[in-house]
Amino acid sequence: MMSLNQYQDIELQQNADFTNIITLDSSHTMTSNMKYAAVIVKDYNHSSFTGPGKSQGTDGTAASNDVWASGSQNEVHFDVVADRSAGTITLTLPAEAIQYFDDNFEGYWDLVEKDDQAADAWVRHIQGDVTISKGATKLTHTFTASVA
């Protein structure tokens, strides 16, 4: 669990990959029983919005063959990697996904831990607001290599 900084606003920049490394307090023990989920929602009622969804791949798990598409969503899952030895949880969302958020999207996010073996199974570690920073360049534009 995090004892400080339990609220963190994030800005997703269009046409850029997003990474957020969350370090848990050293007093919190991460075990192999623990699972993690982190999502973005428009509101806490999970109202629909136009945003990215995986048309190929597994929500919450990054893979080289993930395919993102625009559509009506109720939530968008960050890809999550929990590192027990480091006591960190890394949240990522690729530029290929972020491009599908509406320019004026504002919402919320949180990171929740579930321990299948404990009576107090659910812990919300951190939460915050989400905004989109608009981008002029599109991923489909021509990119020019640097010169010597």
Side-chain angles (χ1 to χ4, degrees):
M1 175 179 281
M2 299 181 64
S3 60
L4 299 174
N5 301 322
Q6 293 182 351
Y7 197 87
Q8 179 190 68
D9 294 340
I10 59 174
E11 175 187 53
L12 300 176
Q13 298 177 349
Q14 286 180 336
N15 311 315
D17 294 331
F18 174 82
T19 301
N20 187 4
I21 300 172
I22 297 162
T23 302
L24 301 177
D25 291 342
S26 60
S27 63
H28 183 73
T29 303
M30 296 171 73
T31 69
S32 60
N33 297 329
M34 295 174 177
K35 299 173 185 164
Y36 301 87
V39 299
I40 297 169
V41 296
K42 179 179 179 179
D43 55 42
Y44 293 113
N45 293 322
H46 287 239
S47 298
S48 63
F49 61 92
T50 300
K54 285 188 181 179
S55 60
Q56 179 176 312
T58 303
D59 285 338
T61 304
S64 61
N65 63 342
D66 284 344
V67 177
W68 292 88
S70 179
S72 180
Q73 308 296 333
N74 297 96
E75 61 189 20
V76 175
H77 290 255
F78 287 101
D79 292 328
V80 178
V81 175
D83 184 337
R84 290 191 307 274
S85 63
T88 61
I89 302 166
T90 302
L91 310 179
T92 60
L93 202 58
E96 293 80 8
I98 296 169
Q99 69 179 330
Y100 294 120
F101 280 100
D102 283 341
D103 288 349
N104 60 352
F105 179 84
E106 292 183 4
Y108 306 96
W109 76 282
D110 64 9
L111 167 67
V112 176
E113 174 185 86
K114 179 183 180 200
D115 184 345
D116 289 334
Q117 305 298 314
D120 56 345
W122 302 95
V123 175
R124 181 169 43 188
H125 285 290
I126 190 167
Q127 64 185 5
D129 296 340
V130 177
T131 58
I132 298 296
S133 176
K134 300 173 190 175
T137 303
K138 295 189 179 293
L139 298 178
T140 55
H141 282 149
T142 300
F143 288 79
T144 304
S146 61
V147 295

